[in-house]
Amino acid sequence: MWHRERIPLLLAFVQSVLVVGWCFTEMEAGPGAAMSTQTNGDRFKIEGRAIVPGVKTQDWVSTARVLVDGEEHVGFLRTDGSFAVNDVPSGSYVVEVVTPTYRFDPVRVDITSKGKMRYARLVNYIKTSEVIRQPYPLQIRSSGPHSYFMKRETWGWTDFLMNPMVMMMVLPLLIIVLLPKVVNTNDPEMRKEMEQSMNMLNPNPELPDVSELMTKLFSGSKGSSKAGSSSKGTRPAAKRR
Amino acid sequence: MAKLILLWLKCVILYNAVGAVFEDQVGKFDWRQQYVGKVRFSHFDTHVQSSKKVLVATENNVFAALNTRTGELFWRHVDKSGPEGNIDALLHHGQDAILVVGNGRLLRSWDVNVGGLNWEIVLDSGSFQKACLVGQQGTVKNVAVLKKNIISLHYLSNGHQKWIENLPESETVDYQTVYSGGNGEVYALGIVPHSHVVIIAYSTDDGEIIKQISVEAPWLSNIVASCAVIGQGVLICVDSATPSLYMCDLHLDTHDLQMTQIPLQSLGLEVAPDFQPVLVSHQPNSAHQPLSEFFLQLGPDNFLLLQLNNGQIVTLRDFKPALLVSFATTGEKTIAAVMSPKNKTACSINLFSAETGRRLLDTTLIFVMDPNGGKPEKIYIQPFLKKDDSVGYRAMVQTEDHTLTFIQQPGRVMWTREEALSDVVTMEMVDLPLTGTQAELEGEFGKKADGLMSMVFKRLSSQLILLQAWIAHLWKLFYDARKPRSQVKNEVTIENLSRDEFNLQKMMVMVTASGKVHSFRLFFFFQLFGIDSKTGSILWRHYLEDVPSNAAFKLMVQRTTAHFPHPPQCTLLIKDQDTGLTTLHVFNPIFGKKSHVNPPALPQPILQSFLLPLMDQDYAKVLLLVDDQYKVSAFPSTKNVLQQLQEMASSIFFYLVDSSQGRLSGYRLRTDLSTEQIWEVVIPMEIQRIVSVKGKRPNEHVHSQGRVMGDRSVLYKYLNPNLLAVVTESTDTHQERSFVGIILIDGVTGRIIHEAVQRKARGPVHVVHSENWVVYEYWSTKSRRNEFSVIELYEGMELYNSTVFSSLDRPHAPQVLQQSYIFPSAISTMEATLTEKGITSRHLLIGLPSGGILSLPKMFLDPRRPEIVSEQSREENLIPYAPELMIRTEWFINYNQSISRVRGIHTSPSGLESTCLVVAYGLDIYQTRVYPSKQFDVLKDDYDYMLISSVLLALFFATMISKRLAEVKLLNRAWR
């Protein structure tokens, strides 16, 4: 049970280190960026830029939108990936760049009632007061394409052979076939010894349910073969019913 | 560390991942239709000859580019709904499209090719009047925006303001339009109604007023409605009272400018009685002057092509009858297109030379109208020059039912778009009828035994029918395989509609409601669509006019297709929300025909309507309508029904909600079809108001009565079918004092089962009420986040009466469990999956503003999720409590097919227990199937036939070989 969770944990750790690392690097870039304040009455503007590394902006801006607090305010991306959401009153907002293909992390932007002091931070819904500063105007970098699809479970010989059920079937077979050849069954002493050991193995009333044993073995093996890739592991869920 | 734990939880969750799409399933059983809404402005992209784009700006605040060859979207931008995203104007120049949005709040420029924004600027406040492109020396570089009191000029390249000027005397003068003829001047035209017209010419360069003239026009009240600028800057107006045309030259510099009157009689023309004449002019290029030819509409079906020639008006051609006219320009040629009625079902479009009024040869195009649709409303012409320099064209016709039809000569429909489907208000899914063979097979089992021989005979004959069908199917497969793929079309028509093996294909009946403006009045109409759920093709439609402007719709299936030969029957209830007056529309959901059953006339306002599980002798469910006198009428109201009602009366209860008074009341039916009030709950209006009342879905089944706990005992669910979830919101909207309340009331007895309040929370609240749980979502003002809360009700370890649930006999109050979670996104709508028998686990389908539909397993919203994991909770497969729910894109049932502005999700069970049919509608329509517990009752798509057959074969050979070996061994032993 433990070993299959260890790898994702490790991955998660690496991921979180990466995330933290990012905010540090971007913090440095932060103060250099200009804070343009164009006020319109008591309405303000949220500015920023979205970047998909390695992809031309023309290829994705037409499907993208900037959503502020759901669909409360909507902005569109310019052909160079920058955006400005106009007419936003003061308050605290979650700004999100939405495209069907690329994933962007949401950012919280706070606009004070005077509209002058505003800052961006990572969204943390649990500890709402925690502030990890982000540069403003926003620099939102895509963390890659969305993964919408599950991988099909493919069938391979190794999977099949390493399956404990198969092992359980093959090993006794080997024992049945090979043991008589190794041990001389005609020897009366040996036979006695074997009978004794057979008695030891005789049914135990405390023995757990066979089917349960099977499922445990089965699910355990499934996990071990897939601990690396996260999106699998469908079998245990289906069994739950 | 918290993040680490969170991510660890995420990994745990990954193991439980259920219900996702595999890549090879894309498009297999799902489809999406994208709409834009009713077109308000449209321009063909003409800056490249080979361009296939048509730009449309719609009343749903959508700006999109359509492919003229296929009708599909190149790109689409969906702005905020409501007046803030309203598109006021669309100007098109070269690669750029300029939009004025939100009553002149924003000016945007879009790159038509890429579909990205060039720039966006905020304009000064003021109500928007008109915008126009301003050219100078043959090139268009600026755009002028006229507002109530200011005029501003902006650069096309970056949106920066060139100059802004206050309009003089803007308190008294109503500036309505702006015009530029490309000569360095911008004209703002204003009016003091029934007094004079104000003409102000601004210099394009610096905004200096070049001249300011006022012209007497006591007969004129609106420039936009009755004037146009033609030729070399001549303002021409039409007056229906005199009736005559008035002209004045804007360029003349005299201060005593007069409008010259030309009586229409002198031209030999006559205005149709009670008709406001309309002028249509055309400016092919904003850098140049408009044409001196223009259309004058004198009657609903009478247009004239006139020309201004040396100060004289010349009639070029009289078009009567003509429905619509339009100018279009290609290259140097400008043509006038005229649509005239041909017969009842068809119209013809002809092209005429704009300069001479001569008809162009071979330019007739026939537009066939749908008899169930609306009349043509607008035509957009895309002309092009053929190789021999003659003009060819395509036409886009917009009809009153919001349909766009794109036609090519001589009348081939290239595509149609039913834009009304962007306004679906309600829908229902109806089973398709059985085919003749299927019905016969069913009949065999349905009837009682006649005798051994006849049974055998029947059995054989039905097998024969099956065989026949199978051979026919094989033959069709074989026949189709020989044809090239492009020719094989599985056209679905009403005739060949039939239920499939697992009842996965259904008829979607959708009701759309939209407004239309007709002679300056707003009308409402609704349309019924019958859509095949497998392909998304529209099988029938029905267009109905004269619907009250704020109608509420309720669609009910009274009789399903299961009662052959009685036709299925749906009833649409249309209720005017102001008066409560209601009409019923009864129709056949498969063919869309109006039923011959006459619905009762309902003179009284209707308060409540509901379907009873009772059926009349024709198997139609009884619809009960409660009017404002608390009298009940039934539909159908045959003797049989009334008798049944009398027998059942004592057990028929219903509830009424009066949200304006905050009153909920329960009534019981008496045998004489009057009612008596049995309970009433008043929610104080000063503090809170009722937002919504949700009961359970009547077609919902719950398979398991309880949950098995870790210690092998059973926790029984409180499955009260009469339970209502009432959601209230506080009237005080201050973020410290606002709250959301939920009250669970038994609809029969009025007993309040549970009451919960979320402090520092506000709506919009989305609720799902099903089985023994209620899930609701609200906005937490304190933490500024969306939160989910779940309430589950349990009877306890013992069931009071396991055979039947009665609200009147349930002495013990249920145990209530509640838990809340953080949800990292706003939501648009929410619904729960529904399956045939309720064995399959439930998922919540959540429509997100980003366009995704998240399928969230209900087990994440389980108030029994423990904070500390114990042996028992692990045994029960409870997920440890985590405050934040995850949005995983793998759970998006619509993968990258995002759906804009999801308004509703409809779930319907299929014939397979594992499968639930889902339709999400909003601006788009998306249909798919979901398998909340995977496909446990059919072989999966990835079932490995190769593996199973190879294993079988291998085993077969292994037995053969071992048999042979055993024989050899036996023989050897015998020899020994």
Side-chain angles (χ1 to χ4, degrees):
Chain A
M1 208 45 196
W2 169 240
H3 65 281
R4 74 163 140 138
E5 274 144 20
R6 206 180 305 164
I7 296 168
L9 195 73
L10 198 75
L11 277 175
F13 184 74
V14 171
Q15 200 179 334
S16 62
V17 167
L18 267 176
V19 168
V20 172
W22 252 20
C23 3
F24 281 131
T25 52
E26 290 188 347
M27 276 293 281
E28 284 158 26
M35 294 261 274
S36 70
T37 10
Q38 187 193 333
T39 53
N40 279 295
D42 54 347
R43 296 265 167 150
F44 311 101
K45 182 153 115 179
I46 299 172
E47 285 179 299
R49 191 183 171 88
I51 302 147
V52 182
V55 182
K56 268 195 234 156
T57 46
Q58 281 100 314
D59 298 342
W60 62 272
V61 283
S62 65
T63 56
R65 287 208 294 171
V66 184
L67 300 183
V68 179
D69 266 12
E71 258 179 325
E72 202 91 349
H73 304 278
V74 178
F76 299 99
L77 277 93
R78 291 198 197 106
T79 40
D80 62 350
S82 61
F83 63 85
V85 185
N86 287 302
D87 267 359
V88 183
S90 63
S92 175
Y93 301 96
V94 174
V95 180
E96 211 174 345
V97 178
V98 176
T99 77
T101 22
Y102 299 103
R103 187 173 59 230
F104 293 92
D105 288 326
V107 176
R108 188 176 280 283
V109 173
D110 298 293
I111 306 173
T112 58
S113 56
K114 292 209 173 142
K116 280 188 180 164
M117 244 272 292
R118 63 190 128 163
Y119 54 94
R121 51 188 164 126
L122 283 181
V123 176
N124 187 341
Y125 286 107
I126 298 171
K127 272 197 200 159
T128 45
S129 54
E130 192 185 69
V131 178
I132 303 172
R133 282 248 184 179
Q134 291 261 298
Y136 185 89
L138 305 168
Q139 294 283 329
I140 304 177
R141 195 178 288 268
S142 166
S143 49
H146 280 303
S147 61
Y148 289 114
F149 302 110
M150 309 253 293
K151 277 226 183 77
R152 282 267 185 217
E153 283 174 41
T154 47
W155 189 83
W157 281 105
T158 45
D159 281 6
F160 178 71
L161 288 179
M162 297 313 283
N163 191 325
M165 294 296 285
V166 176
M167 299 276 246
M168 265 171 62
M169 264 158 62
V170 170
L171 276 176
L173 204 79
L174 284 178
I175 292 164
I176 290 164
V177 175
L178 294 181
L179 218 64
K181 306 227 162 155
V182 179
V183 189
N184 187 3
T185 41
N186 290 337
D187 186 9
E189 259 181 54
M190 192 56 117
R191 193 173 283 177
K192 210 173 183 182
E193 211 172 282
M194 273 179 71
E195 260 169 27
Q196 264 179 5
S197 61
M198 288 294 272
N199 280 341
M200 295 268 286
L201 274 175
N202 255 357
N204 188 347
E206 302 295 318
L207 207 68
D209 194 353
V210 180
S211 62
E212 218 174 282
L213 194 79
M214 294 276 183
T215 46
K216 260 187 193 163
L217 274 165
F218 203 63
S219 60
S221 78
K222 274 279 150 197
S224 71
S225 66
K226 295 206 180 66
S229 68
S230 48
S231 54
K232 294 184 185 174
T234 55
R235 204 71 64 99
K239 192 155 292 123
R240 178 156 304 125
R241 254 175 291 102
Chain B
M1 195 59 207
K3 191 160 192 118
L4 218 75
I5 292 167
L6 224 101
L7 282 161
W8 178 77
L9 278 170
K10 199 158 132 187
C11 300
V12 173
I13 287 161
L14 289 179
Y15 279 95
N16 303 310
V18 267
V21 188
F22 295 107
E23 197 155 5
D24 51 82
Q25 287 180 326
V26 165
K28 234 176 180 177
F29 46 73
D30 64 322
W31 50 261
R32 174 179 66 163
Q33 287 169 354
Q34 289 186 300
Y35 294 99
V36 292
K38 190 203 174 184
V39 173
R40 183 180 284 166
F41 306 107
S42 176
H43 282 285
F44 285 99
D45 182 20
T46 48
H47 83 282
V48 195
Q49 182 79 27
S50 59
S51 174
K52 290 185 286 188
K53 288 193 182 78
V54 54
L55 304 174
V56 288
T58 71
E59 302 200 334
N60 291 30
N61 307 350
V62 175
F63 179 52
L66 306 178
N67 186 335
T68 54
R69 305 287 144 83
T70 60
E72 277 154 22
L73 296 170
F74 276 116
W75 46 258
R76 178 179 73 173
H77 290 288
V78 182
D79 205 347
K80 218 167 144 174
S81 51
E84 282 180 64
N86 190 42
I87 298 172
D88 301 318
L90 165 64
L91 304 168
H92 180 214
H93 176 254
Q95 270 205 52
D96 301 335
I98 318 293
L99 288 185
V100 182
V101 178
N103 198 11
R105 187 77 183 130
L106 298 169
L107 189 66
R108 282 194 189 124
S109 165
W110 293 94
D111 187 313
V112 171
N113 280 344
V114 178
L117 196 65
N118 288 325
W119 47 260
E120 174 183 292
I121 56 154
V122 183
L123 297 174
D124 281 13
S125 58
S127 145
F128 173 78
Q129 295 294 332
K130 185 95 181 169
C132 84
L133 293 170
V134 179
Q136 212 170 359
Q137 283 130 28
T139 52
V140 180
K141 280 187 181 154
N142 301 306
V143 56
V145 179
L146 181 81
K147 291 201 168 186
K148 204 101 203 153
N149 47 10
I150 42 174
I151 180 168
S152 59
L153 203 72
H154 302 265
Y155 291 102
L156 269 186
S157 53
N158 53 15
H160 290 173
Q161 189 175 291
K162 192 171 183 184
W163 50 260
I164 182 163
E165 292 297 327
N166 280 319
L167 292 163
E169 298 163 53
S170 57
E171 304 84 50
T172 50
V173 182
D174 183 11
Y175 290 94
Q176 286 184 334
T177 187
V178 60
Y179 155 79
S180 164
N183 54 357
E185 288 170 14
V186 181
Y187 291 88
L189 304 180
I191 185 174
V192 178
H194 307 293
S195 168
H196 60 274
V197 175
V198 177
I199 301 163
I200 303 168
Y202 289 94
S203 159
T204 317
D205 296 324
D206 50 7
E208 197 188 323
I209 293 180
I210 296 172
K211 66 183 173 198
Q212 186 173 353
I213 315 165
S214 70
V215 184
E216 291 295 312
W219 39 270
L220 188 64
S221 60
N222 191 325
I223 298 182
V224 177
S226 45
C227 294
V229 180
I230 55 160
Q232 292 164 321
V234 176
L235 180 71
I236 187 158
C237 298
V238 63
D239 175 33
S240 57
T242 351
S244 46
L245 287 171
Y246 289 87
M247 287 196 310
C248 84
D249 196 335
L250 297 175
H251 293 297
L252 286 183
D253 217 356
T254 47
H255 277 275
D256 52 344
L257 199 63
Q258 288 289 321
M259 282 219 154
T260 26
Q261 184 181 8
I262 304 162
L264 286 174
Q265 254 171 343
S266 71
L267 298 167
L269 305 174
E270 214 174 307
V271 181
D274 297 330
F275 188 78
Q276 170 71 40
V278 182
L279 290 165
V280 183
S281 67
H282 182 59
Q283 189 172 10
N285 186 338
S286 317
H288 298 290
Q289 289 154 350
L291 291 184
S292 29
E293 291 80 22
F294 60 97
F295 273 112
L296 172 64
Q297 188 181 9
L298 289 175
D301 61 344
N302 186 12
F303 286 87
L304 285 158
L305 183 63
L306 303 177
Q307 189 182 37
L308 180 72
N309 198 345
N310 295 328
Q312 295 293 313
I313 300 278
V314 184
T315 308
L316 292 179
R317 199 171 181 126
D318 186 355
F319 299 102
K320 191 173 185 179
L323 293 172
L324 297 166
V325 293
S326 168
F327 283 111
T329 307
T330 176
E332 295 300 305
K333 282 190 184 171
T334 298
I335 45 109
V338 178
M339 180 185 247
S340 42
K342 201 166 183 238
N343 51 41
K344 275 204 169 157
T345 58
C347 288
S348 65
I349 303 171
N350 282 296
L351 289 195
F352 297 86
S353 160
E355 282 129 54
T356 58
R358 247 189 331 185
R359 200 172 89 86
L360 301 176
L361 289 176
D362 299 327
T363 54
T364 310
L365 191 152
I366 308 293
F367 170 65
V368 181
M369 286 190 289
D370 184 354
N372 295 325
K375 285 188 227 99
E377 199 173 36
K378 265 184 201 168
I379 51 169
Y380 304 96
I381 302 292
Q382 185 192 25
F384 52 87
L385 288 176
K386 290 184 191 163
K387 279 189 188 121
D388 58 349
D389 218 32
S390 64
V391 181
Y393 71 108
R394 300 182 193 95
M396 187 164 81
V397 183
Q398 184 182 359
T399 42
E400 280 176 343
D401 52 5
H402 301 184
T403 308
L404 285 181
T405 314
F406 198 77
I407 4 175
Q408 207 177 21
Q409 276 177 290
R412 195 169 73 86
V413 175
M414 291 176 77
W415 48 264
T416 50
R417 291 180 67 89
E418 299 290 346
E419 292 300 341
L421 283 173
S422 63
D423 295 302
V424 175
V425 281
T426 181
M427 68 165 293
E428 199 61 62
M429 282 178 115
V430 185
D431 295 352
L432 291 174
L434 295 165
T435 55
T437 22
Q438 283 170 329
E440 209 149 307
L441 289 178
E442 294 277 320
E444 187 198 345
F445 302 106
K447 279 176 200 144
K448 285 272 167 273
D450 302 327
L452 192 68
M453 277 316 283
S454 64
M455 286 279 278
V456 169
F457 184 70
K458 248 192 220 162
R459 177 86 277 220
L460 283 177
S461 68
S462 57
Q463 294 286 9
L464 211 71
I465 291 167
L466 274 181
L467 188 73
Q468 211 177 343
W470 187 64
I471 289 169
H473 174 71
L474 279 187
W475 172 247
K476 194 172 175 292
L477 274 184
F478 175 69
Y479 195 73
D480 284 349
R482 280 172 39 195
K483 279 198 278 188
R485 183 160 287 185
S486 57
Q487 282 185 14
V488 182
K489 266 190 199 163
N490 285 324
E491 283 271 311
V492 186
T493 55
I494 287 180
E495 284 71 41
N496 64 20
L497 267 188
S498 66
R499 200 181 297 184
D500 59 341
E501 281 166 289
F502 299 127
N503 199 6
L504 292 167
Q505 187 179 6
K506 291 196 180 194
M507 175 69 87
M508 291 158 52
V509 181
M510 299 191 122
V511 184
T512 70
S514 23
K516 65 167 180 189
V517 179
H518 191 261
S519 46
F520 301 104
R521 273 170 64 201
L522 190 64
F523 287 85
F524 273 78
F525 65 91
F526 79 92
Q527 284 187 85
L528 280 163
F529 284 93
I531 299 173
D532 172 29
S533 77
K534 195 176 174 187
T535 58
S537 51
I538 296 165
L539 298 175
W540 56 264
R541 52 186 289 182
H542 199 88
Y543 176 79
L544 284 137
E545 279 179 280
D546 299 330
V547 176
S549 58
N550 59 346
F553 298 91
K554 192 171 171 185
L555 186 62
M556 287 158 289
V557 183
Q558 279 198 294
R559 192 192 295 130
T560 61
T561 43
H563 306 287
F564 190 80
H566 299 292
Q569 182 180 324
C570 267
T571 302
L572 179 68
L573 188 135
I574 308 152
K575 180 177 167 184
D576 187 335
Q577 283 180 328
D578 290 338
T579 59
L581 288 175
T582 302
T583 48
L584 295 178
H585 177 75
V586 186
F587 62 99
N588 179 332
I590 303 298
F591 302 108
K593 288 197 193 84
K594 202 170 174 198
S595 172
H596 56 85
V597 181
N598 278 325
L602 303 163
Q604 298 283 343
I606 297 297
L607 298 177
Q608 174 73 293
S609 60
F610 49 97
L611 273 184
L612 289 182
L614 294 180
M615 284 191 198
D616 72 347
Q617 70 273 33
D618 292 340
Y619 305 101
K621 278 186 189 161
V622 178
L623 173 68
L624 278 195
L625 299 153
V626 185
D627 64 23
D628 63 344
Q629 304 296 310
Y630 304 104
K631 285 270 183 208
V632 172
S633 52
F635 169 69
S637 57
T638 54
K639 220 172 203 170
N640 176 299
V641 170
L642 294 177
Q643 198 185 343
Q644 282 191 61
L645 274 179
Q646 272 180 9
E647 284 164 18
M648 299 280 294
S650 61
S651 61
I652 295 173
F653 298 84
F654 61 91
Y655 68 94
L656 296 177
V657 186
D658 185 352
S659 51
S660 62
Q661 311 249 331
R663 190 185 300 146
L664 276 155
S665 40
Y667 291 82
R668 187 166 71 180
L669 198 66
R670 289 211 194 109
T671 44
D672 58 344
L673 293 188
S674 63
T675 56
E676 61 176 326
Q677 186 174 353
I678 45 177
W679 58 268
E680 187 179 51
V681 173
V682 179
I683 288 155
M685 278 301 290
E686 307 82 59
I687 303 162
Q688 52 190 341
R689 60 196 164 85
I690 300 172
V691 182
S692 69
V693 178
K694 281 249 178 163
K696 288 175 188 174
R697 287 176 66 163
N699 55 345
E700 175 186 279
H701 294 272
V702 181
H703 181 72
S704 59
Q705 292 273 314
R707 286 177 62 163
V708 181
M709 315 277 283
D711 57 358
R712 301 280 183 249
S713 60
V714 177
L715 185 62
Y716 286 99
K717 294 175 184 171
Y718 179 76
L719 296 169
N720 184 349
N722 312 317
L723 197 66
L724 302 172
V726 182
V727 180
T728 62
E729 274 180 42
S730 61
T731 46
D732 189 350
T733 51
H734 187 271
Q735 62 170 20
E736 286 295 313
R737 294 186 295 271
S738 67
F739 64 88
V740 166
I742 189 150
I743 307 164
L744 302 179
I745 297 182
D746 188 304
V748 170
T749 58
R751 180 175 165 189
I752 295 179
I753 306 289
H754 182 63
E755 194 171 1
V757 168
Q758 303 287 338
R759 296 199 186 282
K760 292 178 185 170
R762 64 170 161 80
V765 185
H766 300 270
V767 200
V768 172
H769 183 192
S770 180
E771 281 187 50
N772 64 329
W773 47 265
V774 181
V775 171
Y776 57 103
E777 187 262 5
Y778 51 87
W779 171 259
S780 163
T781 51
K782 186 189 168 201
S783 313
R784 291 187 309 235
R785 63 193 180 199
N786 289 286
E787 289 180 5
F788 263 99
S789 194
V790 56
I791 297 175
E792 285 196 3
L793 302 168
Y794 290 99
E795 294 237 332
M797 293 304 172
E798 276 171 52
L799 207 55
Y800 177 72
N801 178 354
S802 60
T803 48
V804 69
F805 189 98
S806 167
S807 289
L808 301 168
D809 180 31
R810 220 65 179 176
H812 309 296
Q815 296 174 9
V816 182
L817 302 172
Q818 183 161 18
Q819 227 170 41
S820 296
Y821 314 87
I822 301 162
F823 192 68
S825 167
I827 77 168
S828 305
T829 185
M830 183 161 69
E831 188 55 81
T833 59
L834 191 68
T835 52
E836 184 81 23
K837 298 278 177 232
I839 299 166
T840 310
S841 60
R842 307 292 294 269
H843 278 203
L844 286 171
L845 301 172
I846 302 167
L848 304 175
S850 65
I853 292 181
L854 182 77
S855 178
L856 184 72
K858 169 67 180 57
M859 64 182 178
F860 284 101
L861 295 164
D862 182 350
R864 301 191 62 252
R865 281 174 70 175
E867 279 178 48
I868 301 147
V869 186
S870 68
E871 195 62 46
Q872 288 202 357
S873 70
R874 198 172 296 148
E875 186 87 21
E876 260 190 89
N877 272 323
L878 292 174
I879 306 156
Y881 180 77
E884 193 168 356
L885 295 170
M886 289 286 160
I887 294 183
R888 305 201 329 111
T889 44
E890 281 91 343
W891 290 347
F892 282 12
I893 57 169
N894 58 337
Y895 46 105
N896 64 358
Q897 307 282 299
S898 46
I899 304 151
S900 291
R901 290 198 201 132
V902 192
R903 267 197 313 276
I905 297 173
H906 182 89
T907 52
S908 170
S910 72
L912 283 177
E913 172 54 32
S914 66
T915 310
C916 170
L917 304 176
V918 177
V919 180
Y921 55 87
L923 192 60
D924 306 332
I925 297 175
Y926 181 77
Q927 190 276 144
T928 190
R929 298 172 196 163
V930 289
Y931 312 101
S933 303
K934 300 244 145 189
Q935 284 175 284
F936 57 83
D937 46 7
V938 280
L939 285 183
K940 283 178 193 147
D941 294 343
D942 60 345
Y943 186 76
D944 207 334
Y945 292 93
M946 275 305 287
L947 177 70
I948 199 96
S949 45
S950 59
V951 165
L952 272 176
L953 272 177
L955 281 174
F956 178 72
F957 283 115
T959 39
M960 294 283 279
I961 291 161
S962 54
K963 192 181 171 190
R964 176 82 195 128
L965 287 176
E967 271 173 9
V968 171
K969 198 177 178 186
L970 272 177
L971 198 65
N972 283 344
R973 193 176 286 171
W975 274 107
R976 198 182 286 163

